[in-house]
């Protein structure tokens, strides 16, 4: 990771991986506005930190996607930049529970 620009209006970093390859990623206030992020209070108060977070998330996903195991950062989820699936729950019935459930069902 090598920061090239680090201001309240633009953050640019070069991301590389030991296996080879690198990518330059920039995030600026214009991109944040276009994505509907810049109007939020945290973006107004801490623009550089928020730009840095977006830059890191994009850079790491680009140069080494396996590092995130497909997970999103809390900022991405909070900002709505990631799709969040509803949790899926399953019930497992034991033999006793199946018998109990069957005895509650009226005979046809």
């Amino acid at each position: 990771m090598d920061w090239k620009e680090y201001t309240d209006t633009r953050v640019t970093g070069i991301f590389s991986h030991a296996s080879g390859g690198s990518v330059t990623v920039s995030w600026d206030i214009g991109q944040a506005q276009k994505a509907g992020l810049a109007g939020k209070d945290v973006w107004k108060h801490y623009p550089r930190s928020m730009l840095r977070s977006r830059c890191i998330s994009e850079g790491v996903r680009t140069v080494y996607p396996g590092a995130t195991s497909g997970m999103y950062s809390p900022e991405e989820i909070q900002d709505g930049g990631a799709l969040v699936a509803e949790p899926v729950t399953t019930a497992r019935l034991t033999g006793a529970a199946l018998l109990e459930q069957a005895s509650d069902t009226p005979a046809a």
Side-chain angles (χ1 to χ4, degrees):
M1 171 76 245
D2 184 19
W3 294 113
K4 293 299 179 187
E5 190 172 358
Y6 197 73
T7 69
D8 282 350
T9 57
R10 184 178 185 89
V11 171
T12 302
I14 299 175
F15 295 80
S16 59
H17 188 270
S19 297
S22 66
V23 65
T24 300
V25 176
S26 293
W27 263 84
D28 61 38
I29 291 297
Q31 287 171 285
Q33 289 170 338
K34 187 176 179 180
L37 304 172
K40 298 180 179 191
D41 283 343
V42 68
W43 277 84
K44 291 176 185 176
H45 292 34
Y46 305 102
R48 185 178 63 208
S49 294
M50 298 308 291
L51 290 170
R52 181 191 65 220
S53 294
R54 285 296 172 150
C55 188
I56 290 171
S57 293
E58 183 177 337
V60 170
R61 285 181 196 288
T62 302
V63 79
Y64 186 51
T68 62
S69 301
M71 304 297 286
Y72 290 96
S73 72
E75 294 83 10
E76 290 172 313
I77 293 170
Q78 180 182 10
D79 289 341
L83 297 177
V84 180
E86 291 294 320
V88 176
T89 58
T90 58
R92 182 173 178 196
L93 297 176
T94 64
L98 284 170
L99 288 173
E100 182 179 321
Q101 184 179 29
S103 67
D104 291 341
T105 306

